[in-house]
mmCIF file of all heavy atoms in Angstrom:
data_model
loop_
_atom_site.group_PDB
_atom_site.id
_atom_site.type_symbol
_atom_site.label_atom_id
_atom_site.label_comp_id
_atom_site.label_asym_id
_atom_site.label_seq_id
_atom_site.Cartn_x
_atom_site.Cartn_y
_atom_site.Cartn_z
ATOM 1 N N TYR U 1 148.024 4.222 -131.449
ATOM 2 C CA TYR U 1 146.591 4.044 -131.211
ATOM 3 C C TYR U 1 146.435 3.287 -129.926
ATOM 4 O O TYR U 1 147.205 2.338 -129.656
ATOM 5 C CB TYR U 1 145.896 3.324 -132.376
ATOM 6 C CG TYR U 1 144.400 3.324 -132.278
ATOM 7 C CD1 TYR U 1 143.674 4.422 -132.718
ATOM 8 C CD2 TYR U 1 143.740 2.275 -131.694
ATOM 9 C CE1 TYR U 1 142.284 4.465 -132.606
ATOM 10 C CE2 TYR U 1 142.353 2.296 -131.575
ATOM 11 C CZ TYR U 1 141.622 3.391 -132.047
ATOM 12 O OH TYR U 1 140.279 3.444 -131.908
ATOM 13 N N PRO U 2 145.456 3.637 -129.069
ATOM 14 C CA PRO U 2 145.302 2.959 -127.777
ATOM 15 C C PRO U 2 145.090 1.439 -127.941
ATOM 16 O O PRO U 2 144.229 0.980 -128.684
ATOM 17 C CB PRO U 2 144.087 3.599 -127.158
ATOM 18 C CG PRO U 2 143.974 4.933 -127.810
ATOM 19 C CD PRO U 2 144.464 4.717 -129.215
ATOM 20 N N SER U 3 145.908 0.679 -127.213
ATOM 21 C CA SER U 3 145.775 -0.766 -127.183
ATOM 22 C C SER U 3 144.609 -1.142 -126.245
ATOM 23 O O SER U 3 144.146 -0.289 -125.480
ATOM 24 C CB SER U 3 147.057 -1.401 -126.656
ATOM 25 O OG SER U 3 147.197 -1.112 -125.286
ATOM 26 N N PRO U 4 144.144 -2.381 -126.300
ATOM 27 C CA PRO U 4 143.100 -2.788 -125.326
ATOM 28 C C PRO U 4 143.556 -2.553 -123.878
ATOM 29 O O PRO U 4 142.742 -2.172 -123.044
ATOM 30 C CB PRO U 4 142.932 -4.285 -125.630
ATOM 31 C CG PRO U 4 143.266 -4.411 -127.073
ATOM 32 C CD PRO U 4 144.394 -3.452 -127.293
ATOM 33 N N THR U 5 144.833 -2.746 -123.587
ATOM 34 C CA THR U 5 145.357 -2.473 -122.247
ATOM 35 C C THR U 5 145.251 -0.988 -121.912
ATOM 36 O O THR U 5 144.841 -0.591 -120.822
ATOM 37 C CB THR U 5 146.809 -2.961 -122.095
ATOM 38 O OG1 THR U 5 146.833 -4.363 -122.374
ATOM 39 C CG2 THR U 5 147.362 -2.689 -120.706
ATOM 40 N N ASP U 6 145.618 -0.149 -122.877
ATOM 41 C CA ASP U 6 145.522 1.320 -122.682
ATOM 42 C C ASP U 6 144.088 1.711 -122.343
ATOM 43 O O ASP U 6 143.860 2.519 -121.457
ATOM 44 C CB ASP U 6 145.981 2.087 -123.932
ATOM 45 C CG ASP U 6 147.447 1.903 -124.247
ATOM 46 O OD1 ASP U 6 148.233 1.579 -123.330
ATOM 47 O OD2 ASP U 6 147.811 2.081 -125.407
ATOM 48 N N ILE U 7 143.165 1.134 -123.065
ATOM 49 C CA ILE U 7 141.733 1.485 -122.843
ATOM 50 C C ILE U 7 141.280 0.967 -121.484
ATOM 51 O O ILE U 7 140.636 1.692 -120.720
ATOM 52 C CB ILE U 7 140.863 0.920 -123.994
ATOM 53 C CG1 ILE U 7 141.239 1.625 -125.299
ATOM 54 C CG2 ILE U 7 139.374 1.065 -123.697
ATOM 55 C CD1 ILE U 7 140.676 0.964 -126.559
ATOM 56 N N ARG U 8 141.636 -0.268 -121.165
ATOM 57 C CA ARG U 8 141.241 -0.857 -119.881
ATOM 58 C C ARG U 8 141.794 -0.034 -118.715
ATOM 59 O O ARG U 8 141.107 0.185 -117.716
ATOM 60 C CB ARG U 8 141.723 -2.306 -119.789
ATOM 61 C CG ARG U 8 141.308 -3.003 -118.503
ATOM 62 C CD ARG U 8 141.765 -4.447 -118.418
ATOM 63 N NE ARG U 8 143.204 -4.507 -118.310
ATOM 64 C CZ ARG U 8 144.026 -5.071 -119.233
ATOM 65 N NH1 ARG U 8 143.535 -5.621 -120.315
ATOM 66 N NH2 ARG U 8 145.338 -5.077 -119.060
ATOM 67 N N GLU U 9 142.999 0.465 -118.817
ATOM 68 C CA GLU U 9 143.682 1.167 -117.727
ATOM 69 C C GLU U 9 143.414 2.671 -117.720
ATOM 70 O O GLU U 9 143.955 3.385 -116.872
ATOM 71 C CB GLU U 9 145.194 0.906 -117.783
ATOM 72 C CG GLU U 9 145.559 -0.555 -117.594
ATOM 73 C CD GLU U 9 145.174 -1.113 -116.247
ATOM 74 O OE1 GLU U 9 145.267 -0.375 -115.232
ATOM 75 O OE2 GLU U 9 144.727 -2.280 -116.176
ATOM 76 N N ALA U 10 142.606 3.169 -118.650
ATOM 77 C CA ALA U 10 142.322 4.625 -118.722
ATOM 78 C C ALA U 10 141.373 5.018 -117.600
ATOM 79 O O ALA U 10 140.224 4.587 -117.560
ATOM 80 C CB ALA U 10 141.722 4.945 -120.083
ATOM 81 N N HIS U 11 141.895 5.869 -116.694
ATOM 82 C CA HIS U 11 141.083 6.306 -115.535
ATOM 83 C C HIS U 11 140.925 7.808 -115.438
ATOM 84 O O HIS U 11 140.450 8.303 -114.428
ATOM 85 C CB HIS U 11 141.692 5.768 -114.254
ATOM 86 C CG HIS U 11 141.848 4.282 -114.209
ATOM 87 N ND1 HIS U 11 140.829 3.405 -114.490
ATOM 88 C CD2 HIS U 11 142.917 3.501 -113.943
ATOM 89 C CE1 HIS U 11 141.247 2.162 -114.375
ATOM 90 N NE2 HIS U 11 142.508 2.185 -114.050
ATOM 91 N N TYR U 12 141.332 8.552 -116.457
ATOM 92 C CA TYR U 12 141.232 10.003 -116.465
ATOM 93 C C TYR U 12 140.381 10.437 -117.668
ATOM 94 O O TYR U 12 140.926 10.656 -118.746
ATOM 95 C CB TYR U 12 142.618 10.669 -116.516
ATOM 96 C CG TYR U 12 143.387 10.573 -115.240
ATOM 97 C CD1 TYR U 12 144.072 9.416 -114.872
ATOM 98 C CD2 TYR U 12 143.467 11.684 -114.374
ATOM 99 C CE1 TYR U 12 144.765 9.346 -113.683
ATOM 100 C CE2 TYR U 12 144.177 11.618 -113.179
ATOM 101 C CZ TYR U 12 144.820 10.429 -112.860
ATOM 102 O OH TYR U 12 145.541 10.374 -111.679
ATOM 103 N N PRO U 13 139.075 10.574 -117.485
ATOM 104 C CA PRO U 13 138.210 10.819 -118.639
ATOM 105 C C PRO U 13 138.431 12.166 -119.339
ATOM 106 O O PRO U 13 138.116 12.295 -120.497
ATOM 107 C CB PRO U 13 136.797 10.762 -118.044
ATOM 108 C CG PRO U 13 136.971 11.011 -116.592
ATOM 109 C CD PRO U 13 138.340 10.473 -116.228
ATOM 110 N N ASP U 14 139.007 13.140 -118.631
ATOM 111 C CA ASP U 14 139.198 14.466 -119.235
ATOM 112 C C ASP U 14 140.614 14.693 -119.708
ATOM 113 O O ASP U 14 140.937 15.768 -120.207
ATOM 114 C CB ASP U 14 138.794 15.559 -118.240
ATOM 115 C CG ASP U 14 137.301 15.521 -117.947
ATOM 116 O OD1 ASP U 14 136.528 15.113 -118.833
ATOM 117 O OD2 ASP U 14 136.908 15.893 -116.832
ATOM 118 N N ALA U 15 141.503 13.703 -119.536
ATOM 119 C CA ALA U 15 142.890 13.839 -119.959
ATOM 120 C C ALA U 15 143.020 13.279 -121.366
ATOM 121 O O ALA U 15 142.416 12.289 -121.721
ATOM 122 C CB ALA U 15 143.816 13.110 -119.027
ATOM 123 N N VAL U 16 143.880 13.939 -122.149
ATOM 124 C CA VAL U 16 144.241 13.403 -123.464
ATOM 125 C C VAL U 16 145.308 12.346 -123.276
ATOM 126 O O VAL U 16 146.283 12.562 -122.541
ATOM 127 C CB VAL U 16 144.745 14.518 -124.390
ATOM 128 C CG1 VAL U 16 145.268 13.945 -125.707
ATOM 129 C CG2 VAL U 16 143.660 15.543 -124.655
ATOM 130 N N PHE U 17 145.117 11.209 -123.882
ATOM 131 C CA PHE U 17 146.101 10.127 -123.862
ATOM 132 C C PHE U 17 146.948 10.296 -125.120
ATOM 133 O O PHE U 17 146.455 10.076 -126.221
ATOM 134 C CB PHE U 17 145.427 8.759 -123.802
ATOM 135 C CG PHE U 17 144.795 8.499 -122.465
ATOM 136 C CD1 PHE U 17 143.513 8.968 -122.171
ATOM 137 C CD2 PHE U 17 145.492 7.831 -121.456
ATOM 138 C CE1 PHE U 17 142.957 8.776 -120.918
ATOM 139 C CE2 PHE U 17 144.928 7.629 -120.214
ATOM 140 C CZ PHE U 17 143.662 8.091 -119.944
ATOM 141 N N LEU U 18 148.189 10.723 -124.918
ATOM 142 C CA LEU U 18 149.098 10.957 -126.029
ATOM 143 C C LEU U 18 149.992 9.718 -126.188
ATOM 144 O O LEU U 18 150.633 9.292 -125.218
ATOM 145 C CB LEU U 18 149.983 12.193 -125.741
ATOM 146 C CG LEU U 18 150.908 12.601 -126.868
ATOM 147 C CD1 LEU U 18 150.123 13.305 -127.969
ATOM 148 C CD2 LEU U 18 152.004 13.519 -126.332
ATOM 149 N N ILE U 19 150.004 9.169 -127.388
ATOM 150 C CA ILE U 19 150.836 7.996 -127.664
ATOM 151 C C ILE U 19 151.915 8.393 -128.669
ATOM 152 O O ILE U 19 151.587 8.874 -129.768
ATOM 153 C CB ILE U 19 149.994 6.837 -128.186
ATOM 154 C CG1 ILE U 19 148.930 6.452 -127.149
ATOM 155 C CG2 ILE U 19 150.894 5.649 -128.528
ATOM 156 C CD1 ILE U 19 147.919 5.417 -127.589
ATOM 157 N N VAL U 20 153.175 8.206 -128.258
ATOM 158 C CA VAL U 20 154.300 8.461 -129.141
ATOM 159 C C VAL U 20 154.705 7.134 -129.751
ATOM 160 O O VAL U 20 155.109 6.209 -129.041
ATOM 161 C CB VAL U 20 155.486 9.091 -128.372
ATOM 162 C CG1 VAL U 20 156.656 9.371 -129.304
ATOM 163 C CG2 VAL U 20 155.078 10.337 -127.643
ATOM 164 N N SER U 21 154.548 7.024 -131.062
ATOM 165 C CA SER U 21 154.813 5.765 -131.746
ATOM 166 C C SER U 21 156.197 5.743 -132.373
ATOM 167 O O SER U 21 156.603 6.699 -133.031
ATOM 168 C CB SER U 21 153.774 5.554 -132.844
ATOM 169 O OG SER U 21 154.143 4.436 -133.660
ATOM 170 N N PHE U 22 156.870 4.628 -132.160
ATOM 171 C CA PHE U 22 158.166 4.383 -132.795
ATOM 172 C C PHE U 22 158.103 3.192 -133.730
ATOM 173 O O PHE U 22 159.080 2.502 -133.934
ATOM 174 C CB PHE U 22 159.240 4.142 -131.694
ATOM 175 C CG PHE U 22 159.536 5.359 -130.892
ATOM 176 C CD1 PHE U 22 158.866 5.595 -129.694
ATOM 177 C CD2 PHE U 22 160.450 6.292 -131.324
ATOM 178 C CE1 PHE U 22 159.124 6.733 -128.962
ATOM 179 C CE2 PHE U 22 160.720 7.435 -130.594
ATOM 180 C CZ PHE U 22 160.052 7.665 -129.412
ATOM 181 N N GLU U 23 156.918 2.987 -134.353
ATOM 182 C CA GLU U 23 156.832 1.874 -135.311
ATOM 183 C C GLU U 23 157.803 2.123 -136.444
ATOM 184 O O GLU U 23 158.350 1.185 -137.004
ATOM 185 C CB GLU U 23 155.388 1.664 -135.801
ATOM 186 C CG GLU U 23 154.833 2.739 -136.694
ATOM 187 C CD GLU U 23 153.422 2.455 -137.163
ATOM 188 O OE1 GLU U 23 153.043 1.292 -137.382
ATOM 189 O OE2 GLU U 23 152.653 3.420 -137.308
ATOM 190 N N ASP U 24 158.054 3.389 -136.804
ATOM 191 C CA ASP U 24 159.128 3.778 -137.705
ATOM 192 C C ASP U 24 160.106 4.582 -136.863
ATOM 193 O O ASP U 24 159.893 5.758 -136.597
ATOM 194 C CB ASP U 24 158.597 4.598 -138.864
ATOM 195 C CG ASP U 24 159.686 5.097 -139.803
ATOM 196 O OD1 ASP U 24 160.891 4.938 -139.480
ATOM 197 O OD2 ASP U 24 159.334 5.652 -140.863
ATOM 198 N N ARG U 25 161.169 3.945 -136.406
ATOM 199 C CA ARG U 25 162.083 4.528 -135.431
ATOM 200 C C ARG U 25 162.667 5.850 -135.909
ATOM 201 O O ARG U 25 162.961 6.731 -135.111
ATOM 202 C CB ARG U 25 163.198 3.515 -135.196
ATOM 203 C CG ARG U 25 163.905 3.622 -133.878
ATOM 204 C CD ARG U 25 163.195 2.749 -132.823
ATOM 205 N NE ARG U 25 163.948 2.767 -131.611
ATOM 206 C CZ ARG U 25 164.607 1.737 -131.144
ATOM 207 N NH1 ARG U 25 164.596 0.601 -131.790
ATOM 208 N NH2 ARG U 25 165.257 1.816 -130.018
ATOM 209 N N GLU U 26 162.851 6.006 -137.202
ATOM 210 C CA GLU U 26 163.437 7.220 -137.760
ATOM 211 C C GLU U 26 162.440 8.371 -137.803
ATOM 212 O O GLU U 26 162.838 9.549 -137.929
ATOM 213 C CB GLU U 26 163.962 6.963 -139.180
ATOM 214 C CG GLU U 26 165.038 5.896 -139.249
ATOM 215 C CD GLU U 26 166.252 6.243 -138.386
ATOM 216 O OE1 GLU U 26 166.731 7.382 -138.482
ATOM 217 O OE2 GLU U 26 166.678 5.366 -137.594
ATOM 218 N N HIS U 27 161.139 8.065 -137.750
ATOM 219 C CA HIS U 27 160.092 9.085 -137.845
ATOM 220 C C HIS U 27 159.038 8.868 -136.792
ATOM 221 O O HIS U 27 157.887 8.511 -137.110
ATOM 222 C CB HIS U 27 159.474 9.049 -139.260
ATOM 223 C CG HIS U 27 160.456 9.272 -140.343
ATOM 224 N ND1 HIS U 27 161.059 8.226 -141.007
ATOM 225 C CD2 HIS U 27 160.972 10.403 -140.863
ATOM 226 C CE1 HIS U 27 161.887 8.715 -141.928
ATOM 227 N NE2 HIS U 27 161.875 10.031 -141.838
ATOM 228 N N PRO U 28 159.374 9.102 -135.509
ATOM 229 C CA PRO U 28 158.349 8.945 -134.466
ATOM 230 C C PRO U 28 157.252 9.996 -134.648
ATOM 231 O O PRO U 28 157.484 11.064 -135.221
ATOM 232 C CB PRO U 28 159.116 9.184 -133.163
ATOM 233 C CG PRO U 28 160.357 9.912 -133.568
ATOM 234 C CD PRO U 28 160.655 9.556 -134.964
ATOM 235 N N TYR U 29 156.073 9.634 -134.218
ATOM 236 C CA TYR U 29 154.956 10.610 -134.294
ATOM 237 C C TYR U 29 154.078 10.390 -133.052
ATOM 238 O O TYR U 29 154.147 9.369 -132.388
ATOM 239 C CB TYR U 29 154.124 10.410 -135.573
ATOM 240 C CG TYR U 29 153.414 9.069 -135.639
ATOM 241 C CD1 TYR U 29 152.109 8.927 -135.140
ATOM 242 C CD2 TYR U 29 154.007 7.960 -136.208
ATOM 243 C CE1 TYR U 29 151.474 7.711 -135.199
ATOM 244 C CE2 TYR U 29 153.369 6.747 -136.279
ATOM 245 C CZ TYR U 29 152.098 6.617 -135.770
ATOM 246 O OH TYR U 29 151.462 5.401 -135.802
ATOM 247 N N ALA U 30 153.272 11.396 -132.777
ATOM 248 C CA ALA U 30 152.356 11.310 -131.608
ATOM 249 C C ALA U 30 150.943 11.601 -132.042
ATOM 250 O O ALA U 30 150.692 12.428 -132.912
ATOM 251 C CB ALA U 30 152.792 12.320 -130.542
ATOM 252 N N LYS U 31 150.021 10.884 -131.411
ATOM 253 C CA LYS U 31 148.601 11.103 -131.639
ATOM 254 C C LYS U 31 147.927 11.158 -130.257
ATOM 255 O O LYS U 31 148.350 10.501 -129.323
ATOM 256 C CB LYS U 31 147.998 9.972 -132.468
ATOM 257 C CG LYS U 31 148.428 10.011 -133.894
ATOM 258 C CD LYS U 31 147.551 9.145 -134.781
ATOM 259 C CE LYS U 31 147.845 9.425 -136.237
ATOM 260 N NZ LYS U 31 146.699 9.310 -137.058
ATOM 261 N N GLY U 32 146.867 11.961 -130.209
ATOM 262 C CA GLY U 32 146.151 12.139 -128.927
ATOM 263 C C GLY U 32 144.731 11.595 -129.003
ATOM 264 O O GLY U 32 144.082 11.677 -130.062
ATOM 265 N N TYR U 33 144.269 11.069 -127.878
ATOM 266 C CA TYR U 33 142.934 10.479 -127.821
ATOM 267 C C TYR U 33 142.263 10.766 -126.489
ATOM 268 O O TYR U 33 142.937 10.857 -125.457
ATOM 269 C CB TYR U 33 143.023 8.954 -127.967
ATOM 270 C CG TYR U 33 143.720 8.511 -129.237
ATOM 271 C CD1 TYR U 33 145.086 8.290 -129.242
ATOM 272 C CD2 TYR U 33 143.004 8.365 -130.408
ATOM 273 C CE1 TYR U 33 145.736 7.908 -130.414
ATOM 274 C CE2 TYR U 33 143.635 7.980 -131.572
ATOM 275 C CZ TYR U 33 145.003 7.757 -131.576
ATOM 276 O OH TYR U 33 145.646 7.390 -132.731
ATOM 277 N N LEU U 34 140.947 10.881 -126.537
ATOM 278 C CA LEU U 34 140.137 10.826 -125.328
ATOM 279 C C LEU U 34 139.588 9.417 -125.282
ATOM 280 O O LEU U 34 139.252 8.828 -126.328
ATOM 281 C CB LEU U 34 138.996 11.824 -125.385
ATOM 282 C CG LEU U 34 139.398 13.299 -125.336
ATOM 283 C CD1 LEU U 34 138.186 14.187 -125.604
ATOM 284 C CD2 LEU U 34 140.033 13.627 -123.992
ATOM 285 N N ILE U 35 139.481 8.852 -124.103
ATOM 286 C CA ILE U 35 138.921 7.517 -123.951
ATOM 287 C C ILE U 35 137.686 7.679 -123.059
ATOM 288 O O ILE U 35 137.755 8.009 -121.892
ATOM 289 C CB ILE U 35 139.937 6.528 -123.354
ATOM 290 C CG1 ILE U 35 141.139 6.413 -124.327
ATOM 291 C CG2 ILE U 35 139.286 5.156 -123.131
ATOM 292 C CD1 ILE U 35 142.264 5.567 -123.850
ATOM 293 N N HIS U 36 136.532 7.457 -123.703
ATOM 294 C CA HIS U 36 135.238 7.639 -123.008
ATOM 295 C C HIS U 36 134.773 6.278 -122.474
ATOM 296 O O HIS U 36 134.710 5.308 -123.214
ATOM 297 C CB HIS U 36 134.179 8.170 -123.987
ATOM 298 C CG HIS U 36 134.605 9.456 -124.663
ATOM 299 N ND1 HIS U 36 134.644 10.648 -124.026
ATOM 300 C CD2 HIS U 36 134.998 9.691 -125.948
ATOM 301 C CE1 HIS U 36 135.052 11.599 -124.854
ATOM 302 N NE2 HIS U 36 135.273 11.044 -126.049
ATOM 303 N N LYS U 37 134.448 6.279 -121.169
ATOM 304 C CA LYS U 37 133.956 5.083 -120.522
ATOM 305 C C LYS U 37 132.771 5.438 -119.658
ATOM 306 O O LYS U 37 132.721 6.537 -119.104
ATOM 307 C CB LYS U 37 135.058 4.479 -119.655
ATOM 308 C CG LYS U 37 136.310 4.096 -120.428
ATOM 309 C CD LYS U 37 137.500 3.813 -119.519
ATOM 310 C CE LYS U 37 137.515 2.368 -119.146
ATOM 311 N NZ LYS U 37 138.802 1.942 -118.544
ATOM 312 N N THR U 38 131.843 4.513 -119.512
ATOM 313 C CA THR U 38 130.691 4.764 -118.637
ATOM 314 C C THR U 38 131.097 4.636 -117.184
ATOM 315 O O THR U 38 130.492 5.234 -116.306
ATOM 316 C CB THR U 38 129.528 3.830 -118.960
ATOM 317 O OG1 THR U 38 129.998 2.473 -118.926
ATOM 318 C CG2 THR U 38 128.945 4.096 -120.330
ATOM 319 N N ASP U 39 132.091 3.832 -116.910
ATOM 320 C CA ASP U 39 132.584 3.611 -115.548
ATOM 321 C C ASP U 39 134.093 3.343 -115.655
ATOM 322 O O ASP U 39 134.513 2.613 -116.549
ATOM 323 C CB ASP U 39 131.851 2.392 -114.985
ATOM 324 C CG ASP U 39 132.202 2.085 -113.528
ATOM 325 O OD1 ASP U 39 133.404 1.907 -113.236
ATOM 326 O OD2 ASP U 39 131.276 2.013 -112.697
ATOM 327 N N TRP U 40 134.896 3.900 -114.752
ATOM 328 C CA TRP U 40 136.336 3.715 -114.840
ATOM 329 C C TRP U 40 136.763 2.273 -114.730
ATOM 330 O O TRP U 40 137.832 1.879 -115.177
ATOM 331 C CB TRP U 40 137.075 4.582 -113.820
ATOM 332 C CG TRP U 40 136.855 4.192 -112.394
ATOM 333 C CD1 TRP U 40 135.890 4.655 -111.544
ATOM 334 C CD2 TRP U 40 137.624 3.245 -111.645
ATOM 335 N NE1 TRP U 40 135.997 4.053 -110.312
ATOM 336 C CE2 TRP U 40 137.070 3.176 -110.345
ATOM 337 C CE3 TRP U 40 138.713 2.432 -111.934
ATOM 338 C CZ2 TRP U 40 137.577 2.337 -109.361
ATOM 339 C CZ3 TRP U 40 139.206 1.597 -110.921
ATOM 340 C CH2 TRP U 40 138.648 1.563 -109.667
ATOM 341 N N ARG U 41 135.899 1.401 -114.144
ATOM 342 C CA ARG U 41 136.241 -0.021 -114.032
ATOM 343 C C ARG U 41 135.915 -0.778 -115.321
ATOM 344 O O ARG U 41 136.288 -1.951 -115.456
ATOM 345 C CB ARG U 41 135.465 -0.646 -112.873
ATOM 346 C CG ARG U 41 135.905 -0.102 -111.516
ATOM 347 C CD ARG U 41 134.955 -0.494 -110.461
ATOM 348 N NE ARG U 41 133.657 0.144 -110.747
ATOM 349 C CZ ARG U 41 132.754 0.471 -109.848
ATOM 350 N NH1 ARG U 41 132.953 0.196 -108.590
ATOM 351 N NH2 ARG U 41 131.635 1.061 -110.169
ATOM 352 N N ASP U 42 135.242 -0.114 -116.255
ATOM 353 C CA ASP U 42 134.882 -0.736 -117.518
ATOM 354 C C ASP U 42 136.145 -1.000 -118.337
ATOM 355 O O ASP U 42 136.942 -0.110 -118.571
ATOM 356 C CB ASP U 42 133.961 0.206 -118.295
ATOM 357 C CG ASP U 42 133.368 -0.380 -119.535
ATOM 358 O OD1 ASP U 42 133.788 -1.497 -119.951
ATOM 359 O OD2 ASP U 42 132.493 0.244 -120.144
ATOM 360 N N PRO U 43 136.360 -2.256 -118.800
ATOM 361 C CA PRO U 43 137.564 -2.572 -119.562
ATOM 362 C C PRO U 43 137.501 -2.087 -121.020
ATOM 363 O O PRO U 43 138.492 -2.168 -121.741
ATOM 364 C CB PRO U 43 137.660 -4.083 -119.495
ATOM 365 C CG PRO U 43 136.225 -4.539 -119.356
ATOM 366 C CD PRO U 43 135.557 -3.457 -118.531
ATOM 367 N N THR U 44 136.340 -1.602 -121.431
ATOM 368 C CA THR U 44 136.194 -1.119 -122.791
ATOM 369 C C THR U 44 135.830 0.333 -122.792
ATOM 370 O O THR U 44 135.484 0.915 -121.756
ATOM 371 C CB THR U 44 135.078 -1.902 -123.563
ATOM 372 O OG1 THR U 44 133.843 -1.667 -122.898
ATOM 373 C CG2 THR U 44 135.368 -3.402 -123.579
ATOM 374 N N GLY U 45 135.917 0.961 -123.925
ATOM 375 C CA GLY U 45 135.577 2.369 -124.039
ATOM 376 C C GLY U 45 135.602 2.818 -125.475
ATOM 377 O O GLY U 45 136.058 2.102 -126.353
ATOM 378 N N GLU U 46 135.088 4.003 -125.672
ATOM 379 C CA GLU U 46 135.094 4.611 -127.008
ATOM 380 C C GLU U 46 136.315 5.516 -127.141
ATOM 381 O O GLU U 46 136.566 6.326 -126.271
ATOM 382 C CB GLU U 46 133.786 5.428 -127.194
ATOM 383 C CG GLU U 46 133.672 6.050 -128.569
ATOM 384 C CD GLU U 46 132.442 6.935 -128.636
ATOM 385 O OE1 GLU U 46 131.417 6.626 -128.018
ATOM 386 O OE2 GLU U 46 132.522 7.989 -129.307
#
């Protein structure tokens, strides 16, 4: 899931942000997200 840093640094509004998680090293998984921001300099987003 996108961290606050991931959201702050998101500068491609139309790209899917794919996060590959290794919280369970034996069973990695990936999830995709769009990060919507009103302005790319905005540190927050939906």
Side-chain angles (χ1 to χ4, degrees):
Y1 189 82
S3 70
T5 301
D6 295 336
I7 295 168
R8 182 179 67 243
E9 298 297 322
H11 303 309
Y12 286 79
D14 295 330
V16 173
F17 289 84
L18 184 76
I19 300 173
V20 181
S21 171
F22 291 94
E23 70 180 326
D24 177 351
R25 205 89 174 250
E26 300 301 312
H27 302 95
Y29 66 90
K31 290 195 169 213
Y33 303 91
L34 292 172
I35 299 176
H36 305 287
K37 300 167 89 167
T38 53
D39 183 304
W40 67 269
R41 294 168 296 207
D42 188 351
T44 63
E46 181 185 325

